Amino acid sequence: MKLTLSSDIKKIEELSYEKYGIQSITIMENAGSSVAYEIKEANLDTDEFVVVSGTGNNGGDGFVVARHLQNFGYKVTVFIVGNPKNISGDAKINFDILKKIDMQIENISEQNGLIKFEKMIKKCPYIVDAIFGIGIDREISDIYIGTIERINLYKKFVISVDIPSGVDSNDGHIYGTCVRADKTVSFILPKIGNIMYPGSSYSDELIIKTVGIPVKAINEKKLKYQIVTEKFAKNFLMLRKRDSHKGNYGKANIIAGSSGLTGAAILTCKAALRSGLGLLKLYIPESLNTLITLSVPETVTVPLHEMRKGVIGINHINRIVEDSNSVNVLAIGPGCGNTSEISETVRRSILDVKAPLVIDADGLNALSKNIKWLLEREGEIVLTPHPGEMSRLSGYSIDEINKNPIHIANEFAEKWKVVLVLKGSRTVIATPDGSVYVNINGNPGMATAGSGDVLTGIITGFIAQGIEVYKSAILGVFLHGMAGDLMAEKRGEYGLLAGDIVDGLAYALKNLTNLNEK
Ligand SMILES: NC(=O)C1=CN([C@@H]2O[C@H](COP(=O)(O)OP(=O)(O)OC[C@H]3O[C@@H](n4cnc5c(N)ncnc54)[C@H](O)[C@@H]3O)[C@@H](O)[C@H]2O)[C@H](O)CC1
Ligand SMILES: [K+]
């Protein structure tokens, strides 16, 4: 499902009005009535509702909701917040209708308005939040703060129009305070602020309603962001033919692990194997070889003589590069340690390995000191940073990255021509052509040591099988989250281990392939 900026929505609405002859008042009517029907069908334990309207078009939607609720037999009181003189356009038309049908209208901004409002919502804690929609553009102040804080204090049920008031629809940040909604009815397509944190956490449920905008208008607007859904991801899976053999499922080389960090190598290999690839080769310091072969017997290991204990010496790089030019993918980084050897291995792989690369963890830390190596890269490459690694790669602070991961991932992927998997509560996959995919499954239990190693393994495994690189990244992130959700269902989030995600992968893949067979 596509994801929008407020400018995208405005462009789509403009196209609909100017090119396709749709009347904006019709869209407002459809928007407001869709919210009213959502309330009616929820069969809430009330026959009374309070509608809180701002003075913009979100407020206009609220006026339409009020009229439809009255028609459904609800007792409705409308509270305006802001100066009613600012109400204009379609909102004004609907405001004037309310006055003509003797709707109970109060003005919170008037003397004692807030006291009246508080008294009302104590009696009737069922509220429609139509204060701000995609038009909010600054910190919330004075009377609006008082209104929103009272809504959150006394509410029994709040339904937000388009987006909870206080969320920035373009990046999900909060303008100081925000309505906490039980439901949000958004229109046409979800906004980034509906999906990204913290905005996404201000509504328990999100419903998207088409409100009469022609599909032609939506398709005419090139939208670069989209949500990863099961329907979207499962199409990337390769079906396994009955008469196949392991050669059909590709080969991957992995450089991972060093003394004290073998767990990362084990998790990455197990995850790659669980993804269904044919043959996996792990380059490992020879002193760690026994441990690895006991832990992951399905992996072919290449024990390499160590110049320094527990580290792969640079004397092996030519062999690794040569080997890797005859496999489907090379992954570097999990548990490699921050050494000059790994840095040289990353450099040579970027420059000389034409097969797709997956670089994670310590491989990223090496790259971040020499980002210009990417300019000499010929083959495809996937980078899988968490915000800390992304900060070192991009120069943005971790706070900036967490505030706007979509924009920063998009900018970096286009600039450096990489597939970027920016991990987080909403993992973002950005591609060199400027497309951005937001994954919305997964759970906080997955924020655990080794979870990133598992993701690297999954993505590597899918590339090995011949799935396009960007699709492998999307499918890998989706399945990683699906596996984590399946295992959290069984074991809870607190006790979730990265190894559980590896176990969950098999079930997640089974579920997804069953869906494909239907
Ligand atoms: N015809 C249409 O455009 C339709 C829009 N839909 C709904 O309209 C909202 C967008 O409206 P809204 O969010 O109210 O934005 P506006 O620009 O109309 O008005 C906002 C109003 O508030 C002022 N403002 C912004 N931030 C603040 C603040 N922090 N404090 C105080 N005041 C603030 C701003 O200056 C404007 O004056 C959209 O979400 C839909 O719900 C219909 O659904 C479809 C038709
Ligand atoms: K709202």
Side-chain angles (χ1 to χ4, degrees), residues 10 13 17 24-25 27-28 31 55-59 61 90 131-141 144 161-163 175 187-188 191 211:
K10 287 184 179 133
E13 285 181 347
Y17 307 153
S24 61
I25 190 89
I27 303 302
M28 186 170 278
T55 56
N57 283 323
N58 200 245
D61 292 354
D90 297 335
I131 304 170
F132 297 123
I134 59 173
I136 189 168
D137 58 11
R138 56 190 184 271
E139 282 304 290
I140 289 178
S141 55
Y144 293 95
V161 175
D162 212 12
I163 195 163
Y175 281 107
F187 312 120
I188 311 171
K191 285 73 189 176
V211 285

Side-chain angles (χ1 to χ4, degrees), residues 363-377:
L364 291 174
N365 294 329
L367 175 60
S368 58
K369 299 182 191 94
N370 308 280
I371 195 78
K372 289 203 171 24
W373 288 343
L374 290 175
L375 297 175
E376 298 171 62
R377 171 82 186 144

